[in-house]
Amino acid sequence: MIVPPRPDAAGSRAVAADDIVRRFGIEPNRRPPGALDLWLRCQVRRLRMIRHELAARSPLPWTRRLAYWRRGFRANSVLVCRLDQRDPREYVDDWDYSASGYRYNGFFNPIVGNKLVLSQVLAGHGLPHPRLHGVVRRGRAIGVGPSAAAGPAGDGWARFEHWASDGRPLVLRPHWSGAGEGVFFAQRLPDGWRVNRQPATEAEVHRLVGSLDRYVVTAYVDQAAYAAAIHPETANTIRVLTIIDAEGPFVAALAHRFGTRRSGALDNWHQGRGGVNAPIDRARGTLGPALTLAPDGTLAEHMNHPDTGAPIAGVAIPGFERMLDGVLDAARCFPEAPLVGWDVLMTDDGHVIIEANSPPGLSVWQVHAPLKRDPRVAKFFVAGGA
């Protein structure tokens, strides 16, 4: 057996990295790492938070608002997280997260959050995602991928009509958006078009599509029976927070959102949009009592859905553990993005990953429990400056 020689004690025990680069003729990467650009983006996020907070109305008196500002919390977070009853040290505060939140994923934020890119990555790894029809670019529907060459020609309207020809709703979302902004549904039925279930003329839909830019168009997915029983008028999604640390990816927090009459076509809970937000018991895969958030930050608890009266608390989620495994597989597709919030729709035969939020807003989870109460989660945020 040939034993490789050991470096002598007096000599170098390791070859310097730059020597290795030169030895193998590797051209060094001279591009700047973008630290200044990233720092500026983080500061812009912080300035936006300050501007929003100064303009926000709140039932909290200014003396209390100022006291919590000094601890890093906006007035809305004080109410949502009920910090007068809980230990603020267990929460990820707004001031630190406004800057550090973007830094975790860095320049991968626009990659993970881009709905077109996400659909291609998930499809490439065989992970469940709504079928991608194509995009709308400067008012023109365009197919994506090699099969697009076989689609209808023209200005794009014929292609859009072809996507809607099966009578199923189309879901239209901006490539890069959050909090449900810009999302709507279009459907062509035998008696005419519908936009968010409201009748629309073909001319109106044509003008609407013609006004869009950088939109992704996907197929509508039917949700699982348990979710439809609670509120059938919206796609009711689970928001899953994944974190990647030195031990690998893990699920850090869960919440289930449901739409209401006030939230319209979406299950949007953020900023008092009207949706319902229920915690999920991780061990049992069941829902807890749900919360609604008023625009002024006040909360109301519901054992049943406020519109349909259907039970929420105690409802089991079929396929829950398989869904968690699938989301962790999705997180492994983005090792450079250690902090992602995933929107997942449960179906009767599994689940689909609707989109990823990067960086994610944290109130949807912290309204139920502080994230830093979990030591592993706390270690991750503290190391990142939050």
Side-chain angles (χ1 to χ4, degrees):
M1 182 177 67
I2 299 176
V3 179
R6 296 181 181 179
D8 56 69
S12 172
R13 297 191 178 184
V15 180
D18 55 348
D19 290 339
I20 295 178
V21 168
R22 285 194 295 269
R23 177 185 172 189
F24 292 103
I26 301 172
E27 186 67 22
N29 184 4
R30 296 185 177 87
R31 294 192 178 190
L36 177 59
D37 187 12
L38 188 58
W39 181 86
L40 289 172
R41 295 187 188 205
C42 292
Q43 300 315 306
V44 168
R45 283 172 51 86
R46 178 166 280 177
L47 289 172
R48 286 174 178 168
M49 187 204 74
I50 294 172
R51 184 180 63 182
H52 181 272
E53 178 64 10
L54 291 174
R57 295 181 179 180
S58 172
L60 285 179
W62 277 101
T63 53
R64 290 188 64 197
R65 291 182 72 171
L66 289 171
Y68 279 105
W69 281 1
R70 286 194 290 268
R71 305 187 73 167
F73 293 97
R74 296 182 298 115
N76 185 67
S77 295
V78 175
L79 298 171
V80 168
C81 298
R82 290 160 283 186
L83 295 181
D84 55 342
Q85 307 169 29
R86 300 173 177 177
D87 185 355
R89 293 172 297 181
E90 294 185 317
Y91 288 82
V92 179
D93 71 79
D94 301 308
W95 178 254
D96 288 333
Y97 188 67
S98 65
S100 66
Y102 196 89
R103 195 164 55 237
Y104 289 108
N105 297 345
F107 296 112
F108 278 80
N109 282 297
I111 296 173
V112 178
N114 187 297
K115 297 169 181 60
L116 175 61
V117 174
L118 179 70
S119 69
Q120 302 297 289
V121 173
L122 295 180
H125 289 278
L127 297 176
H129 182 270
R131 180 165 62 92
L132 176 67
H133 286 296
V135 301
V136 178
R137 173 70 168 159
R138 296 180 179 176
R140 183 170 180 266
I142 303 171
V144 175
S147 61
D155 63 357
W157 176 247
R159 187 184 297 273
F160 190 81
E161 287 186 305
H162 175 70
W163 293 342
S165 61
D166 61 359
R168 299 274 297 166
L170 301 175
V171 185
L172 293 93
R173 296 172 292 160
H175 286 290
W176 177 255
S177 68
E181 295 173 346
V183 180
F184 68 94
F185 305 89
Q187 183 178 17
R188 188 177 190 180
L189 297 174
D191 62 345
W193 284 91
R194 301 288 187 275
V195 175
N196 287 346
R197 296 195 170 133
Q198 299 180 38
T201 66
E202 181 170 315
E204 289 175 325
V205 178
H206 199 166
R207 287 199 300 271
L208 176 60
V209 175
S211 70
L212 303 178
D213 188 29
R214 294 175 179 168
Y215 261 68
V216 63
V217 184
T218 59
Y220 185 85
V221 178
D222 292 318
Q223 64 187 327
Y226 84 90
I230 294 174
H231 192 257
E233 300 301 314
T234 53
N236 305 301
T237 58
I238 298 175
R239 177 67 66 88
V240 184
L241 177 64
T242 60
I243 288 175
I244 302 176
D245 60 11
E247 301 176 40
F250 67 99
V251 173
L254 297 154
H256 203 315
R257 300 172 302 176
F258 297 90
T260 64
R261 281 194 296 267
R262 193 158 69 88
S263 71
L266 304 174
D267 62 351
N268 201 342
W269 180 83
H270 289 285
Q271 302 172 4
R273 301 286 177 85
V276 176
N277 176 5
I280 301 176
D281 186 317
R282 173 66 187 273
R284 296 184 176 88
T286 56
L287 301 176
L291 298 171
T292 51
L293 175 65
D296 65 358
T298 55
L299 297 166
E301 186 176 272
H302 304 272
M303 303 298 287
N304 293 31
H305 192 278
D307 293 337
T308 66
I312 294 178
V315 171
I317 303 173
F320 177 70
E321 290 296 333
R322 291 195 302 275
M323 178 273 293
L324 295 183
D325 291 340
V327 172
L328 289 176
D329 285 340
R332 293 183 183 98
C333 295
F334 298 96
E336 296 283 357
L339 183 71
V340 179
W342 305 88
D343 287 346
V344 183
L345 185 72
M346 302 301 295
T347 66
D348 283 334
D349 58 357
H351 67 276
V352 294
I353 298 172
I354 301 295
E355 65 183 42
N357 299 271
S358 175
L362 304 182
S363 63
V364 67
W365 301 294
Q366 291 207 124
V367 68
H368 300 301
L371 287 172
K372 290 165 73 173
R373 182 175 292 171
D374 182 321
R376 187 177 178 185
V377 177
K379 181 179 179 182
F380 172 84
F381 280 110
V382 170

